[in-house]
Amino acid sequence: MNTISSYSPIHVVGGGLAGSEAAWQIASAGVPVILHEMRGVRGTDAHKTDGLAELVCSNSFRSDDATSNAVGVIHAEMRMAGSLIMAAADRHQVPAGGALAVDRDGFSDAVTRAIHDHPLITVMREEITGLPPSDWDLAIVATGPLTAPSLASAIQAATGEDSLAFFDAIAPIVYRDSIDMNICWYQSRYDKVGPGGTGKDYINCPMDEAQYNAFVDALISGDTVGFKEWEGTPYFDGCLPIEVMAERGRETLRHGPMKPMGLTNAHNPTVKAYAVVQLRQDNALGTLYNMVGFQTKLKYGAQAEIFRMIPGLENAEFARLGGLHRNTYINSPTLLDPSLTLKSRPGLRFAGQITGCEGYVESASVGLMAGRFAAAERKGEAISLPPATTALGSLLGHITGGHIVTDEEPGKRSFQPMNINFGLFPELEPGSIVKPEGVKRFRGKDKTIMKRQLIARRALADCAAWLGQTPTFAESA
């Protein structure tokens, strides 16, 4: 390792997108890094090479539109922060319309080469089987959803039995402003007032018998995604996919997550619903609601089509669709402080998908933040958190405390991984959305587009200010 820096090294465990980005940010701040990567010594069930930042699934980084797409906004913010992952992606882009897709081999080779060539980064090919030793006073664990079993066990032993999930049972999440409240209503079952509740903590979508039967038929016939061989089949009664429940009997859902008991339709109190789909507030901002009990293996296209059969969700926009897959992640809001440090062990941070984010760029962005925070701590500088109005800040807020805790379902984890989306951003100031001059009707989709454009513009301006930069026209447009 080059000794041109007087600082002691920071250790990063994991050479995926998050770990590579964290190492790059640390080294770019003038602090040496030792990056530990087990591939090359021990493989995983999903990786094919020992290259750093290997893409194991899609080669797409999704939308690159920074004017009205949350993913494009986080792309732009990462570029502003000197992201290695975004630089490599830009250099190895392949045609994909408005999306940023990459040549996966060229991308991984570029990241690997940049990391190995940096004079302040040393790559050690070895498996770290436990938590970083105490003499690593500053370290980042960025081992991702395929964390080796030995390390996962060590993390679980250090943080508690309920702190680590190995499978994600994900229910779809809907943007609150896309729900038709002329059909739906607020009410908790039997008007129960839980901790911090009001008795109106759920949005309820009613179905009559014909609608219910059509919905069950659609679930049973919908296209599903199979488990990969290395994932196994982790069905247990607490997280059965909605379509599996439907297959077990036509009345199963009516006596499970869609039971109508204890609910009265505020719009039509004299008519009892045959079944009810409940949506529960998912984030502290109140902009996102999850479909209770609707974890699923349906393909995304089928999900959107079938779930829009639900009364009140005909025009629903989804911040996230459902799924069930292997994904090792910690209960970050409980375990981590706002700078991604393990509360029980100062100096040890977590980054990437293991913190509870989804997606390539989200994983890399958390690595970017963890690297910047660790470098500042090593240099004795104050840690500066990104503003909550930025894409980086909103994702960080979700990971470290933006979820809702519920006692409705004992034993159920209320925190689940999330992609970046506009539902994580704070609302605009009142009066921000103004009808354009000469436009007679301004609502629905047009209003939503303007709202997202304004959130994106604010995010990029605030990110530039956080980084001490002046936003370019493209960044602030």
Side-chain angles (χ1 to χ4, degrees):
M1 180 175 64
N2 193 303
T3 57
I4 60 175
S5 173
S6 60
Y7 297 110
S8 298
I10 295 173
H11 295 261
V12 176
V13 182
L17 278 79
S20 297
E21 185 64 63
W24 184 260
Q25 292 291 326
I26 294 166
S28 296
V31 176
V33 185
I34 300 176
L35 177 61
H36 305 263
E37 170 53 51
M38 74 175 184
R39 284 178 298 119
V41 173
R42 182 184 186 280
T44 75
D45 293 317
H47 290 88
K48 304 300 182 186
T49 76
D50 60 4
L52 301 178
E54 180 186 343
L55 306 182
V56 298
C57 296
S58 167
N59 70 326
S60 175
F61 284 26
R62 310 190 328 274
S63 175
D64 204 36
D65 174 14
T67 64
S68 58
N69 187 290
V71 181
V73 174
I74 207 167
H75 285 182
E77 291 183 4
M78 291 172 67
R79 290 183 179 110
M80 293 163 65
S83 166
L84 169 63
I85 294 302
M86 290 309 301
D90 288 339
R91 285 199 302 273
H92 293 277
Q93 184 174 3
V94 296
L100 174 60
V102 303
D103 176 300
R104 65 178 70 239
D105 293 331
F107 168 79
S108 176
D109 290 346
V111 173
T112 302
R113 185 167 55 253
I115 291 292
H116 279 279
D117 288 350
H118 198 292
L120 288 178
I121 301 176
T122 298
V123 178
M124 297 187 68
R125 298 284 181 168
E126 59 180 354
E127 181 180 1
I128 304 301
T129 57
L131 282 179
S134 58
D135 59 342
W136 295 5
D137 63 325
L138 287 181
I140 298 171
V141 174
T143 47
L146 299 176
T147 297
S150 56
L151 179 54
S153 296
I155 293 170
Q156 193 167 39
T159 56
E161 283 296 314
D162 296 330
S163 67
L164 196 68
F166 294 97
F167 275 89
D168 233 354
I170 298 174
I173 288 182
V174 181
Y175 287 109
R176 162 62 185 81
D177 58 11
S178 71
I179 301 169
D180 187 350
M181 295 307 295
N182 292 314
I183 296 175
C184 305
W185 74 96
Y186 286 101
Q187 185 188 7
S188 298
R189 200 177 303 280
Y190 300 108
D191 301 307
K192 180 181 177 181
V193 179
T198 64
K200 296 183 178 182
D201 301 326
Y202 292 79
I203 292 176
N204 299 280
C205 309
M207 283 186 177
D208 61 28
E209 185 173 1
Q211 290 168 331
Y212 174 78
N213 284 322
F215 182 70
V216 170
D217 290 339
L219 286 175
I220 293 172
S221 62
D223 288 339
T224 58
V225 179
F227 286 101
K228 298 180 175 67
E229 288 185 13
W230 48 269
E231 286 186 300
T233 307
Y235 290 157
F236 54 94
D237 286 342
C239 73
L240 283 177
I242 192 77
E243 64 276 7
V244 173
M245 284 189 274
E247 290 171 351
R248 292 190 171 186
R250 184 157 293 272
E251 295 295 296
T252 301
L253 294 177
R254 287 189 66 238
H255 295 280
M258 294 176 64
K259 59 181 177 285
M261 286 76 78
L263 298 167
T264 301
N265 189 336
H267 302 296
N268 195 356
T270 62
V271 176
K272 186 71 174 178
Y274 191 76
V276 174
V277 174
Q278 287 197 306
L279 291 88
R280 180 174 52 219
Q281 186 174 334
D282 196 78
N283 66 339
L285 297 173
T287 54
L288 301 173
Y289 275 72
N290 70 71
M291 300 175 66
V292 178
F294 268 61
Q295 56 273 356
T296 178
K297 287 293 284 183
L298 287 168
K299 292 182 178 179
Y300 285 170
Q303 286 187 49
E305 180 180 349
I306 294 171
F307 295 152
R308 288 188 180 121
M309 295 172 64
I310 298 169
L313 301 187
E314 292 90 346
N315 298 306
E317 293 187 37
F318 297 93
R320 181 186 71 187
L321 288 164
L324 188 64
H325 60 94
R326 189 188 191 284
N327 186 11
T328 304
Y329 68 99
I330 61 174
N331 192 9
S332 293
T334 299
L335 299 176
L336 304 183
D337 74 7
S339 74
L340 300 167
T341 300
L342 191 64
K343 294 175 183 177
S344 62
R345 180 173 161 181
L348 178 60
R349 286 181 168 82
F350 284 79
Q353 283 188 254
I354 198 169
T355 65
C357 62
E358 287 275 6
Y360 291 147
V361 293
E362 290 88 342
S363 178
S365 74
V366 179
L368 182 152
M369 290 185 281
R372 294 177 74 92
F373 299 157
E377 184 172 351
R378 173 63 82 215
K379 296 167 75 173
E381 300 171 353
I383 294 175
S384 174
L385 303 180
T389 51
T390 63
L392 292 169
S394 65
L395 186 60
L396 180 64
H398 167 71
I399 289 169
T400 61
H403 75 307
I404 294 292
V405 176
T406 176
D407 294 326
E408 293 288 329
E409 299 171 77
K412 180 179 175 61
R413 296 166 58 89
S414 59
F415 173 67
Q416 289 187 323
M418 179 75 76
N419 292 108
I420 187 66
N421 66 82
F422 281 121
L424 301 183
F425 291 70
E427 291 283 4
L428 295 165
E429 292 295 323
S432 298
I433 302 175
V434 179
K435 183 174 71 172
E437 187 175 348
V439 175
K440 291 183 179 180
R441 300 182 65 186
F442 182 62
R443 60 188 182 188
K445 186 175 182 180
D446 292 334
K447 191 173 182 179
T448 297
I449 290 172
M450 176 177 280
K451 176 182 178 181
R452 293 177 177 179
Q453 289 173 339
L454 291 172
I455 291 175
R457 182 188 294 267
R458 179 186 66 180
L460 294 173
D462 289 354
C463 186
W466 174 60
L467 294 169
Q469 301 175 8
T470 301
T472 66
F473 175 81
E475 289 165 348
S476 60

